[in-house]
Structures are given as C-alpha cells and as structure tokens.
Amino acid sequence: MNNNDWQRVSPWALLYFIVHFAIRFVKDGLLNLLPILVIFVTQVEQKWFWGQVAASIAIVMLVVYAFAYYRNFSYRISSENEILLNKGVFKKERLTLKFARVQNVNIAEPFYFQPVNLVNCIFDAAGSSAQEAVIPGVKLSYAEHVREQVMAFKAHLQQSDTPEKAEHAAQPSAQHTLTLSNAEIAKFGLMSNMAILALAALAPFMNAIFDYLETSLIARLEAMFNEQAAFVGSAAALAVVTVIVVIVLCAVLLSVTMALIRFFNFHLYFQDNKFKRVAGLFERQQLSISSEKIQSVQIKQNIIARLLKRYTLICPQVSSGNTAPGVAAHKNKQTLVMPVLTAAHVQQVCRWLFPWFINLNELNFIKPERALLYKNTVLYVFLPSVISVVVIDQLFETLSMLWGLLPASILMAAVFLRYQKTGMALYQHEGRSFAVFRTGMIGTQYRLFEIYKAQSATTISTYLMRKSGLKSLYIQLASGSVSMPYLKSVDAEQLIDFVLYEIESEPRNWF
C-alpha cells in the first residue's frame, strides 16, 4: 500500500471508538453530572424505568457519534516522515505529527481486538495538546513496521548528532526482566489514594446519600439488630457504622480492581538502554521508553506502603501541551510506573539506570538549617495550639489543658518528622553528576535525576531569611520541580553555580 494514500482503519476500530468515548464520558462527563445523579437517586420515582430510558438514549447517542467519527477517520504515513490524521465529527481536524517529535511508539492490544489480531498503534509526542495520536484497529505487523520506521528515523538523527554515542549504543547488552505477580499488584490498590479520592468526591453529597440510605438500608439494619438482644439500645449506631464500613470497603475494592485492570500480569524488560513494559487486563499495552528520555526517577513510600514494605517507582517523561510542568507527566498514561516493588526490586531497577546506585540511606544528605524547624514549630504548632486552647477553654474549661497538649504533641511530631526527612545529596560517577532530593513525613519520597537535565535553578529568600543568611533552592525539571529549603546563602549560591555549569557544559541531548 502506498504510504502517500489516505488509509481507512478496520471496521473493527468502531469498537475502539465506542469504548474510547464511553471512557471519556465516564471520566469527564459523569463527574459533572454527579449532582444530577444524586438528585435522581434520592428524588425521582420509578428509577428503574427512567434509568433504562436515560441509559438507552446515552448508548444510542454514543454508538451514532462513534460511527460518525469512524467514518471521518483516516490516516497517512507520508514520505516526508510525518503521521497525518483526519478526524472529527462536528469539528473536522487534521493532526500532523513529525517523526522527530515522537517520543515513543507503543502498541496496545485491547481484549476486543484479540480475536481478530488487531492492535492500536499509539504515538506519544511531547508538546502535543492531546499528548498522543492513535491509529486504532491495525494489524500487529503493520504497527511494528511503523514503529521500526519511526525509531529508525530518530536513530539516524541521533547518529548524525552524536556518532560516538551511536557506536556505543550499537553494542547489544543483556536483557534484564522484572515480573510482578497479581497478588503484588493488588497491594498497589491498597497503597494508592484512589479510595480516598473516591470518598472525597462523594463528600459534598454525603448528606443526600445518607438520607437515602437511612430510609432504604439503615432502617432495615437497625430493625435486624434490634431483634438481637445483645444490640438493644445501640442498634441505630451499629447500623450507621456498618454502612460506613461497607462504603469504605467498597472504595478499597474499587481501588484494588482499578490497579489490577491497569497493571495485570506486569512484565518489565530492560535492554540496550530501553525499557519495555507490558501490562493490562482489558488492554495489553506495550510501553517502550529510552532511558535517555527519562527526566527523573521518583521512589515513593506512603504510610500503607511502609507497612507493606513496598515502594512505587515512577519514571516521568517531558510534560506535554500547555499543562504545568510535572502535572501531565503524572497523568500521562505513557509515564513508566512500576507500581509495587520490594527494596531489592528498587535496587535492581535503579542499578539498570544508575550503575552507581547504592542504598539511599547511605548517601550523605544535606539537611536544612534548624531555622526551618523553628519557623514551622511557631507556624504549625505554637499558633494553632494557642488558638485551640483559647477556643476550647470557652467551651470546656476543665478539658482545656488536655485538649491543648494533645494536638500540640501531634503537630510537633509531624513537624519534626518532616524536618528530619527533608534533605538533598549529590553524587558523582564517571564524570557524571547526580542529585537526590528527599521529602516526607511518615512515608518517604525520593527524586533522582542527572543534574544536566535540569532546566533552571533559582533561590528565594524572605526578609527574615536574609537576616539569618539563608536561602531556599528550587530546581525546575521538565517533569516537575524539587526544592531544598533553608540552606546557608553561600551553599545555595554554590549549588546554583554548579547546576548551571552542568546544564551549559554538557553536550548530551535528553529531549
């Protein structure tokens, strides 16, 4: 087939467009319709009938729109090394994506394409407002051919820019693998904050939800508990607690389910300085990314992960579109995420990227000056405690001292732990300079990156900080920012000079 001819995707691609727009509706539209749904559940009679009518209308509109989108969709791989897409229903759009702008070409195999051996060819491009271009419903051989064509073009550009590096990369290296069991993936559902976000999204409607539950469920539970002699007098409270526990368990179950859908049968391969990740339940997605494109490595361990002795490792790429730096990198599904790793796995993966990598606790971290601890103690411990004592004293005179010391102790512990976890370390290996930033309170988060990949470095100093000879350091990366507060002015200026020297003197290209 001539690449200069406009091509149509397989009729099976209609399934992709139906699923794609259904997911977009759930993500974007359903949240906006949540108040209407709450009113529908709590106020409308004959819910089953009107729910069927609304669902039928929504499904028909979805199928009609997806069919119109499929009829208008066409693509072309031009001889000028460009990917062109024609798409749109009410607003026609032509997307032109040059090979040079493509970061990765990934192949996804949804479950509904498996019987017909079709895949989705996904082009991830930094700077694109949509973050990616997708050609759905093509043969696997064709998708692999396009990926090889794009990557060969980019490799040719890199060879012309850095021939020495290309010769070194041409030497094949051993393949490293990492496989996570689905039982481990389920732990990521417990570690993630999806359950908390789900409950937070429902918080504004809790009154309406509980009013409905009180009449439909809580009353029945209360009557059932009243039949048991042991629960007489506390049946109402027990019924409410039971409903709350069920809601929380449902949110946790949802979080575990979403983790399994996204990372089911997780396999990670590393060879020739490239990662390849294959995962997914309903859509087996192949994500490929060069280690040179990784802006930084984030190692996270929240309080639940600490109890489970697990970590999450994230390798964000360049932010896309007009989104603030770092935001798109976390939301972009092309970001490489290793959801639940043991300490040995973290050591293993980081050594693939950083041969010097050692136990992070063994690094010599620079800590902020004690003025930070004093400032946070005044702002977040002393002032809130005084206010709480004054307020509580007006209500409970006999409990004012107790209720003043309890929150003060908790806040002081939090401030001290935050101060202890804050730090930064520098490391040099074979003439290359690396930085490690650490933050946290009960959990810990590390950010590792090679210093020449920084975009800018600045310092900020308030009036009181200038009087004490202190400055806070901020380093902007393409995938976010890091900071080190309350350094001595001399140290902060030396660090800025060093970072800027690494940025300007390093000839290697990372974007």
Side-chain angles (χ1 to χ4, degrees), residues 385-409:
S385 299
V386 170
I387 294 173
S388 64
V389 167
V390 171
V391 173
I392 295 174
D393 184 62
Q394 302 296 323
L395 302 175
F396 310 100
E397 295 183 2
T398 58
L399 299 177
S400 60
M401 184 61 68
L402 175 62
W403 284 94
L405 292 176
L406 181 61
S409 302

Side-chain angles (χ1 to χ4, degrees), residues 210-227:
F210 269 104
D211 288 342
Y212 173 74
L213 292 176
E214 186 175 2
T215 57
S216 61
L217 183 59
I218 295 178
R220 297 179 183 178
L221 288 174
E222 184 179 354
M224 183 182 68
F225 289 137
N226 274 325
E227 295 177 0

Side-chain angles (χ1 to χ4, degrees), residues 176-180 266-269 338 341 345 348-349 352:
H176 305 282
T177 61
L178 174 65
T179 301
L180 299 180
F266 183 98
H267 297 282
L268 182 70
Y269 309 91
M338 285 154 263
L341 303 179
H345 286 156
Q348 176 185 355
V349 174
W352 298 346

Side-chain angles (χ1 to χ4, degrees), residues 172-187:
S173 60
Q175 186 183 72
H176 305 282
T177 61
L178 174 65
T179 301
L180 299 180
S181 67
N182 293 324
E184 288 292 314
I185 299 300
K187 293 179 182 178

Side-chain angles (χ1 to χ4, degrees), residues 257-467:
T257 303
M258 295 302 295
L260 287 171
I261 290 174
R262 183 180 178 187
F263 297 110
F264 188 79
N265 284 350
F266 183 98
H267 297 282
L268 182 70
Y269 309 91
F270 183 77
Q271 186 177 22
D272 298 332
N273 290 324
K274 290 184 179 179
F275 280 105
K276 179 183 177 183
R277 186 209 67 193
V278 182
L281 178 59
F282 299 123
E283 181 181 70
R284 296 294 292 171
Q285 189 176 60
Q286 300 180 19
L287 170 64
S288 299
I289 175 175
S290 171
S291 61
E292 293 295 329
K293 301 297 181 182
I294 295 176
Q295 307 307 305
S296 63
V297 174
Q298 299 177 28
I299 303 172
K300 296 183 176 182
Q301 187 185 50
N302 58 23
I303 182 172
I304 299 177
R306 187 171 182 178
L307 294 175
L308 296 174
K309 297 182 180 180
R310 294 297 185 270
Y311 300 83
T312 298
L313 196 147
I314 302 173
C315 299
Q317 302 181 60
V318 182
S319 301
S320 302
N322 297 324
T323 312
V327 177
H330 292 287
K331 294 184 178 181
N332 185 1
K333 63 182 179 181
Q334 302 301 329
T335 293
L336 178 61
V337 178
M338 285 154 263
V340 51
L341 303 179
T342 62
H345 286 156
V346 171
Q347 190 89 356
Q348 176 185 355
V349 174
C350 287
R351 279 190 177 274
W352 298 346
L353 290 169
F354 311 116
W356 59 268
F357 187 84
I358 58 177
N359 190 333
L360 292 174
N361 294 326
E362 297 178 6
L363 291 176
N364 185 22
F365 281 94
I366 302 172
K367 295 181 63 175
E369 295 297 315
R370 286 191 172 272
L372 175 65
L373 178 62
Y374 302 150
K375 183 206 74 171
N376 289 340
T377 300
V378 172
L379 290 180
Y380 305 121
V381 179
F382 180 74
L383 292 180
S385 299
V386 170
I387 294 173
S388 64
V389 167
V390 171
V391 173
I392 295 174
D393 184 62
Q394 302 296 323
L395 302 175
F396 310 100
E397 295 183 2
T398 58
L399 299 177
S400 60
M401 184 61 68
L402 175 62
W403 284 94
L405 292 176
L406 181 61
S409 302
I410 296 174
L411 292 173
M412 189 64 225
V415 166
F416 182 75
L417 288 174
R418 181 75 176 181
Y419 172 77
Q420 286 292 105
K421 290 290 181 69
T422 302
M424 68 166 291
L426 301 178
Y427 197 93
Q428 288 194 334
H429 176 75
E430 296 182 352
R432 299 167 64 177
S433 300
F434 302 85
V436 183
F437 282 74
R438 182 182 65 188
T439 58
M441 189 179 296
I442 299 177
T444 311
Q445 177 175 329
Y446 297 93
R447 176 76 74 94
L448 294 76
F449 60 94
E450 196 164 355
I451 294 178
Y452 87 97
K453 293 185 178 183
Q455 291 187 320
S456 63
T458 57
T459 58
I460 294 179
S461 181
T462 63
Y463 174 77
L464 293 178
M465 290 174 66
R466 288 195 297 272
K467 287 290 187 181

